[in-house]
Amino acid sequence: MNGTGLVEINGESTKERGFFCMKLVTFLSGEAEPGTEAYAELWAQRFEEAKFGACHYRENCPIYARTAKKGIQLNLFSQL
């Protein structure tokens, strides 16, 4: 039995994975004023980049550096 997307069916496997990074939000807030149209556009762009392992802020991010050393960045979203 397949779900409709409105409710979760017990045992149904989902391939969707969310992505969120507070450090990314911090960097983004320094680049554009929160609540502005520019911020909204950058939010979408920067999160999409980061989601696929090409974070715009990777050179300055201690979290990215830590996960890159462990090889996590190479396969973080490989199941998408």
Side-chain angles (χ1 to χ4, degrees), residues 28-29 32-36 39:
L28 185 58
S29 295
E33 181 70 30
T36 63
Y39 185 83

Side-chain angles (χ1 to χ4, degrees), residues 6-77:
L6 299 175
V7 296
E8 181 179 333
I9 304 297
N10 192 16
E12 179 179 18
S13 65
T14 178
K15 293 183 180 181
E16 253 182 67
R17 293 176 58 179
F19 173 79
F20 189 80
C21 178
M22 283 302 296
K23 198 59 150 172
L24 178 60
V25 174
T26 302
F27 286 126
L28 185 58
S29 295
E31 188 174 353
E33 181 70 30
T36 63
E37 191 173 319
Y39 185 83
E41 289 173 8
L42 275 175
W43 177 283
Q45 178 185 351
R46 298 292 188 239
F47 267 88
E48 191 68 17
E49 292 166 349
K51 181 178 175 182
F52 291 104
C55 183
H56 180 77
Y57 308 107
R58 65 184 169 262
E59 299 298 320
N60 302 321
C61 182
I63 296 170
Y64 189 94
R66 205 169 43 243
T67 58
K69 282 182 187 174
K70 293 179 181 178
I72 295 171
Q73 289 296 332
L74 299 176
N75 61 12
L76 190 59
F77 298 100

